[in-house]
């Protein structure tokens, strides 16, 4: 026994499966790192530098997030209604109401300071109270009108793209949070599969110890461990009952827990109430939103003027009166955009959307659900597997010269 252990050939053969296990682990680990990191380019990619595959393709990932996931769990109208537009309207009205006298005075002073200065306090208070009386109903009706037309004025793809390009790490968070267990499995399964393939490699080397075997097996181990791990994660697509056991892709088995994780990220980082309202007010389709808001605010100004409207127009001047209505509209638009920054309100809105999204994701078929993680690999699956093969080849060459050279 001691003679065997003291024989260098024994340790050479003995090392083969362990080196193969390292190759399987290391190549899979490198492949995952290259998929996500670095978020910002290092050097000059793709030949003189590198940037994570997913961050580099943030725009395409945003499109996939919209088309392959969000569109499958609800329409634009359903997503907006999940946020409870009535609650949003009430919150906006409350925020505006807090500083209403200041806003009214600011608008009128800007257009005709003399008129406001000579108005009796009773008249000023009457204007403020009249606006305050109409504000909640007007904002509520305004939000209802936006809700009815939200399919035409909320650009979800632009919203997602804007957030992803502003913070490319969001894409990493989505895939890493939803698929962390699967990525860990890919890395550690590389070691297990590599060790198994190493046993075959050891037998082949014993039968025919040609110098090219180790590099060739290195390619095979690096390639095969990635390929097998990916298949185990996503296949079988649908559950297969074999006696007391159920076979299904590892990721697909975790649909309920992934649904919660994915929904939290979407609701808290992308489709926040603040981001949605910003898109409605200033996005590519915001013209319609602003027309709706201006129509309602102009009506408030006319209603407050009441039967004295001709006199008010004469005193203020028709041009100043029109400018005053536009100034009031601009103020409401800017206040609406800034009124939704309250942390507690955003949390409540995020929970409403998260619950809706989570329920819908849990109800998806396995075919639809796999798209929540599969695109991360599909983008460069071949490249990742080839990287494994190349690194395996390099390790095989080093193994030959270091161990058997």
């Amino acid at each position: 026994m001691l003679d065997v252990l003291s024989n260098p050939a024994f340790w050479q053969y003995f090392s083969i499966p362990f080196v193969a296990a390292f190759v399987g682990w290391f190549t899979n680990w490198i492949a995952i790192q290259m998929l996500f990191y670095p978020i910002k380019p290092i050097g000059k990619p793709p030949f003189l530098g590198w940037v994570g595959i997913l961050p580099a393709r943030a725009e395409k990932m945003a499109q996939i997030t919209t088309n392959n996931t969000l569109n499958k769990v609800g329409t634009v109208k359903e997503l907006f209604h999940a946020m409870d537009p009535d609650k949003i309207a009430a919150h906006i009205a409350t925020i505006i109401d807090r500083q209403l006298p200041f806003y009214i005075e600011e608008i009128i002073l800007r257009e005709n300071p003399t008129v406001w200065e000579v108005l009796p306090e009773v008249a000023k208070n009457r204007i403020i109270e009249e606006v305050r009386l109409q504000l909640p109903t007007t904002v509520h009706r305004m939000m209802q009108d936006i809700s009815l037309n939200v399919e035409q004025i909320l650009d979800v793809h632009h919203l997602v793209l804007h957030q992803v390009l502003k913070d490319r790490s969001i894409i990493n968070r989505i895939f890493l949070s939803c698929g962390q267990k699967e990525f860990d499995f890919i890395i550690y399964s590389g070691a297990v599969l590599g060790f198994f393939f190493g046993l075959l490699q050891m037998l082949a080397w014993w039968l025919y110890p040609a110098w090219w075997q180790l590099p060739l097996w290195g390619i095979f181990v690096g390639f095969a461990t990635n390929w097998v791990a990916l298949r185990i994660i996503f296949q079988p697509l649908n559950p297969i009952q074999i006696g007391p056991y159920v076979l299904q892709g590892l990721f697909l088995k975790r649909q309920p827990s992934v649904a919660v994780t994915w929904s939290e990220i979407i609701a808290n980082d992308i489709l926040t109430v603040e981001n949605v309202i910003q898109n409605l007010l200033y996005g590519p389709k915001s013209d319609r939103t602003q027309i709706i808001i201006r129509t309602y605010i102009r009506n408030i100004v006319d209603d407050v003027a009441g039967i004295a409207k001709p006199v008010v127009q004469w005193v203020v001047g028709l041009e100043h009166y029109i400018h005053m209505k536009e100034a009031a509209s601009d103020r409401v638009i800017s206040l609406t955009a800034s009124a939704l920054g309250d942390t507690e309100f955003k949390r409540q809105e995020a929970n409403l959307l998260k619950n809706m999204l989570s329920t819908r994701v849990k109800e998806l078929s396995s075919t639809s659900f796999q798209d929540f993680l599969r695109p991360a690999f599909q983008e460069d699956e071949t490249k990742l597997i080839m990287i494994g093969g190349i690194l395996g080849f390099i390790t095989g060459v080093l193994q030959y010269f270091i161990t058997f050279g």
Side-chain angles (χ1 to χ4, degrees):
M1 182 66 179
L2 291 176
D3 291 340
V4 173
L5 293 177
S6 61
N7 188 341
F10 169 79
W11 293 106
Q12 289 174 335
Y13 281 98
F14 185 76
S15 69
I16 290 176
F18 291 96
V19 172
F22 172 77
V23 170
W25 173 85
F26 182 68
T27 55
N28 286 10
W29 181 82
I30 284 291
I32 296 301
Q33 299 308 307
M34 295 178 76
L35 189 64
F36 294 103
Y37 304 108
I39 294 174
K40 294 182 178 179
I42 294 177
K44 296 182 178 180
F47 301 110
L48 300 177
W50 187 257
V51 61
I53 292 171
L54 294 186
R57 303 195 175 178
E59 187 170 349
K60 188 169 185 179
M61 288 295 103
Q63 184 177 352
I64 289 172
T65 299
T66 305
N67 297 338
N68 289 20
T69 56
L70 283 173
N71 287 352
K72 291 181 179 179
V73 297
T75 64
V76 173
K77 183 171 286 189
E78 288 172 329
L79 293 173
F80 187 67
H81 283 184
M83 295 180 168
D84 194 349
D86 289 342
K87 186 177 180 180
I88 296 173
H91 182 76
I92 292 171
T94 300
I95 296 296
I96 295 175
D97 185 76
R98 290 173 185 170
Q99 298 290 328
L100 191 60
F102 169 77
Y103 299 139
I104 292 174
E105 183 173 338
E106 175 192 55
I107 292 166
I108 298 178
L109 283 175
R110 186 190 307 165
E111 295 304 322
N112 197 320
T114 306
V115 171
W116 187 254
E117 288 170 1
V118 300
L119 271 179
E121 284 298 318
V122 175
K124 291 179 181 178
N125 292 335
R126 177 64 186 273
I127 291 172
I128 292 169
E129 288 308 312
E130 186 63 30
V131 174
R132 177 167 281 144
L133 188 66
Q134 294 195 38
L135 185 65
T137 303
T138 299
V139 175
H140 178 74
R141 288 176 179 170
M142 185 174 71
M143 193 59 68
Q144 281 186 326
D145 207 343
I146 291 172
S147 297
L148 289 173
N149 297 278
V150 74
E151 297 273 2
Q152 288 76 46
I153 57 181
L154 177 60
D155 192 330
V156 174
H157 173 66
H158 177 270
L159 190 160
V160 174
L161 178 61
H162 176 73
Q163 294 305 121
V164 166
L165 292 181
K166 187 170 72 172
D167 181 8
R168 291 173 185 262
S169 67
I170 289 177
I171 287 295
N172 282 6
R173 287 206 299 277
I174 291 175
F175 287 108
L176 283 172
S177 298
C178 293
Q180 188 62 60
K181 290 182 182 294
E182 285 67 39
F183 293 121
D184 289 343
F185 171 80
I186 288 175
I187 294 171
Y188 295 117
S189 69
V192 176
L193 292 169
F195 185 83
F196 171 75
F197 291 137
L199 294 175
L200 299 178
Q201 180 184 0
M202 183 174 64
L203 177 61
W205 180 261
W206 180 71
L207 293 172
Y208 187 70
W211 71 267
W212 46 263
Q213 274 218 48
L214 295 178
L216 191 64
W217 274 97
I219 294 174
F220 174 75
V221 171
F223 176 92
T225 51
N226 273 349
W227 187 87
V228 171
L230 289 174
R231 296 304 169 274
I232 293 174
I233 288 173
F234 295 107
Q235 295 176 10
L237 186 61
N238 296 305
I240 299 175
Q241 187 80 37
I242 301 178
Y245 302 101
V246 178
L247 293 182
Q248 190 179 21
L250 296 179
F251 178 68
L252 304 173
K253 283 183 178 179
R254 296 198 308 112
Q255 185 165 347
S257 61
V258 172
V260 174
T261 303
W262 179 85
S263 300
E264 284 179 350
I265 296 173
I266 295 298
N268 289 309
D269 293 342
I270 298 179
L271 290 183
T272 67
V273 63
E274 194 171 21
N275 292 341
V276 167
I277 295 301
Q278 284 284 344
N279 187 271
L280 286 170
L281 293 174
Y282 304 114
K285 304 176 182 179
S286 60
D287 290 351
R288 180 69 179 272
T289 311
Q290 297 213 14
I291 288 172
I292 292 172
I293 293 174
R294 290 180 189 282
T295 300
Y296 280 98
I297 301 306
R298 287 166 187 159
N299 290 340
I300 281 189
V301 175
D302 288 338
D303 289 344
V304 170
I307 58 174
K309 180 179 175 181
V311 177
V312 173
Q313 288 180 348
W314 178 76
V315 173
V316 176
L318 179 58
E319 185 176 346
H320 283 296
Y321 183 76
I322 294 172
H323 284 171
M324 188 166 61
K325 292 201 288 186
E326 294 309 310
S329 300
D330 290 338
R331 198 67 169 116
V332 169
I333 290 170
S334 65
L335 287 170
T336 299
S338 62
L340 302 169
D342 178 77
T343 303
E344 178 59 22
F345 181 73
K346 287 196 293 185
R347 186 190 65 79
Q348 293 173 8
E349 287 294 307
N351 283 336
L352 291 174
L353 182 61
K354 182 192 75 174
N355 292 337
M356 177 268 197
L357 291 174
S358 179
T359 301
R360 295 289 182 88
V361 173
K362 290 175 184 177
E363 295 171 350
L364 289 175
S365 66
S366 296
T367 303
S368 296
F369 176 66
Q370 73 168 339
D371 286 337
F372 281 65
L373 188 63
R374 194 76 175 105
F377 297 104
Q378 284 178 325
E379 276 305 289
D380 276 284
E381 183 174 316
T382 302
K383 184 185 291 185
L384 292 175
I385 293 174
M386 291 302 295
I387 288 171
I390 293 169
L391 292 174
F393 172 79
I394 294 171
T395 307
V397 171
L398 293 175
Q399 182 185 14
Y400 174 76
F401 283 106
I402 294 172
T403 308
F404 295 93

